[in-house]
Amino acid sequence: MRFLFVLILLAGTGISLIYPWAMTNFSGREIGAWRVYEQGRFKPLTVPLSGRDAPVRVLVDLTARAERIVSQQRTVLTLTAATNGRTVLASTLQFNHVDNPRQASPQLPDKIFRDDAGVIASVNSGSYLFTVGPGDAEDIPMRGVDLILRSGAGETDRRARPVGFVLMAVGLIGFLLSLRSGGGRPGNPNSQPPPPRWGRG
């Protein structure tokens, strides 16, 4: 039974944590990556997109001299995407859920934090204007901001994460209970005193 509960725990971890991360970072193909903030200046970006690119996932990489981003639920960056004067995506980014940022360079202390700005589900062929700006979070030591677009990006099933967490809980609780109910080692029959003998001798 312990092995079964371990399998349930691993399955829950994969569904709730690994599956959403893989869908966000690896599904589809990369259209390109562009620097939209450098040397204290934000600059808008215009990218031509085709209807064949849909759906397009928008990712933002923040390079900062920090071990983690502590925004205290404040917005670090804002992002909007528009075409033909119509806003198709508006997002606020906090980056405070990134536990394992990437190292920008072995020679630099800077770390790269990634956040998912959302998906443009329907794409009409034409130019799209992406505008990234500062939020209301203060004292974020930003070095650079990059915008990454991925075409044909898969959408994460919203039911996956709750189901995964339930499986993790069932697996963990079942495994702990199996440890408790396993009991101690079976007694050694030779350690018991011999039964009394009746009769002579």
Side-chain angles (χ1 to χ4, degrees):
M1 288 298 290
R2 293 180 191 174
F3 181 69
L4 175 62
F5 286 123
V6 169
L7 288 181
I8 294 174
L9 178 61
L10 292 177
T13 303
I15 294 172
S16 61
L17 301 178
I18 299 175
Y19 161 69
W21 175 80
M23 289 294 289
T24 298
N25 291 281
F26 298 108
S27 65
R29 65 173 181 84
E30 186 172 302
I31 299 173
W34 300 267
R35 180 59 57 98
V36 293
Y37 173 85
E38 197 169 31
Q39 297 179 349
R41 241 175 13 100
F42 288 95
K43 55 184 179 181
L45 172 70
T46 301
V47 180
L49 295 178
S50 168
R52 294 175 299 177
D53 294 327
V56 173
R57 183 176 296 279
V58 183
L59 302 168
V60 177
D61 280 354
L62 168 66
T63 303
R65 183 163 294 182
E67 290 299 320
R68 61 178 303 172
I69 300 297
V70 182
S71 59
Q72 297 179 345
Q73 304 305 315
R74 292 179 177 270
T75 299
V76 176
L77 296 173
T78 62
L79 180 144
T80 60
T83 182
N84 296 324
R86 180 173 61 92
T87 300
V88 295
L89 179 66
S91 181
T92 58
L93 306 171
Q94 296 177 333
F95 298 95
N96 55 9
H97 63 280
V98 183
D99 294 325
N100 296 307
R102 308 192 312 272
Q103 186 79 36
S105 170
Q107 291 78 29
L108 298 174
D110 298 348
K111 298 292 180 65
I112 301 175
F113 303 83
R114 171 167 289 189
D115 207 346
D116 184 2
V119 174
I120 304 175
S122 177
V123 177
N124 297 320
S125 298
S127 296
Y128 282 71
L129 175 64
F130 294 87
T131 305
V132 178
D136 58 356
E138 300 177 352
D139 301 326
I140 305 297
M142 290 190 294
R143 299 286 187 254
V145 176
D146 296 293
L147 181 73
I148 301 97
L149 300 181
R150 299 189 68 88
S151 71
E155 191 70 61
T156 304
D157 192 331
R158 296 182 178 180
R159 297 169 297 180
R161 198 176 285 269
V163 169
F165 285 139
V166 170
L167 289 176
M168 288 176 64
V170 170
L172 181 60
I173 293 171
F175 179 74
L176 294 177
L177 290 178
S178 69
L179 291 178
R180 292 185 59 187
S181 63
R185 295 179 180 178
N188 184 357
N190 296 325
S191 64
Q192 301 294 328
R197 299 173 61 184
W198 299 95
R200 296 181 179 179

